[in-house]
Amino acid sequence: MTRQVSYAPLLTVDLRHRYYTGGTARSLSMRPTHATQQVLSGNLCRARVTPGRFELWYADQDGHAPARSMPADTILGFTLQSAAPDFDIVTQPDWGDGDLINHVLYFSNKGETGSSPLTLASQDAVLLPVRPRGFARPKDAPPLTLWRWFDDAEVWTEPEDGPKTGHINLMDVSEDGRYVLKAGSEVVLDFYLGSLSAGQILGAVELGWTDVSFDTKGDLPRAVTLQFLARTAPWLYMILPGKDQSLDGATITDPEGVPQFGAGVRSDDIRGRAGWIFRSDTARALAERSAPDGKLVLHPAAVGLQEPDPVTLPLPAPDGLQMDPDGAGLVFVVYVSL
């Protein structure tokens, strides 16, 4: 007798980013950690990974579906990787100078395990240091314990009467994820234990559904959206006018004519030439392309009876992120020659 096998969705995760046109984070992909992949394979699940979306499908063999009998305390772990090298530039929060190399942005549904659909936003995620399974032990610390952050389970204990070496060995901890290293009740380190270095992954996700039974198909698929914000910073337009052209009195507005930037300030050193610098009134979100109502227009001041044509300005590019010439943080700089 031939067994009938069908597949049904167990979990969908949409990756959204406000920088990208259309909102899909098409440079991002999500993949199970090694330990989670073993759990999924053992429960006859298949992953489908596409840019901006992750789908998990489970097998049903004549009514037998192991995935729908997974323990309620199952925690699924994933990593986020990007095909775009400038992902940290276009994304909030600010990783800081060099921190992306040693940190990952961590998402979880802890405290909301019964919610579906659920949106997890990047501004609520936590930037965690990444550690391998062997790293330096804090000097003179009392015996240490390791706790899994998601469910507060103790997973490793350092022998109290054993010799204290200079390193911590966590090779017996098989699952990647967020952990808390404690000395007694004091937190020594809140970190992400990873098989991959932080340079290989941008983020990590842990999902559990302790309040949900998978026995009922009506509970499936569980739906999660990871929402990333575009980086915001002041915009500076460095505008080099044409011959004998002045930008005194010029304004930068939206398509409706509402001013968006302060008055231009003349500078004698914009790439070795004289020009005008316009600074946005507020921090603005970076975007891949302008929405029709988001275009910026330069209006040179009228000269006598002559009304100069307005100029549509280009958007900042990710590589335009620079230290503010005034020394007040980061800004996006755009050079424009008229």
Side-chain angles (χ1 to χ4, degrees), residues 51-105:
R53 187 173 174 85
F54 176 88
E55 298 174 351
L56 193 59
W57 294 71
Y58 69 93
D60 188 321
Q61 298 180 339
D62 295 329
H64 175 64
R68 298 220 316 266
S69 300
M70 283 193 294
D73 60 355
T74 299
I75 301 169
L76 303 180
F78 306 90
T79 58
L80 296 170
Q81 297 168 287
S82 176
D86 56 10
F87 184 84
D88 59 315
I89 295 177
V90 304
T91 305
Q92 258 337 59
D94 185 351
W95 271 269
D97 186 15
D99 279 350
L100 181 60
I101 297 174
N102 301 307
H103 291 72
V104 295
L105 197 61

Side-chain angles (χ1 to χ4, degrees), residues 42 48-49 83 99 135 154 158 178 204 220 256 264 266 280 300 314:
R48 183 186 181 203
V49 179
D99 279 350
F135 56 92
E154 184 176 343
E158 189 176 45
R178 183 177 180 181
L220 302 177
E256 301 300 320
R266 182 180 170 85
S280 62

Side-chain angles (χ1 to χ4, degrees), residues 186-202:
E186 179 184 352
V187 174
V188 176
L189 182 65
D190 183 2
F191 69 107
Y192 182 80
L193 181 67
S195 300
L196 299 175
S197 69
Q200 296 174 283
I201 60 175
L202 287 166

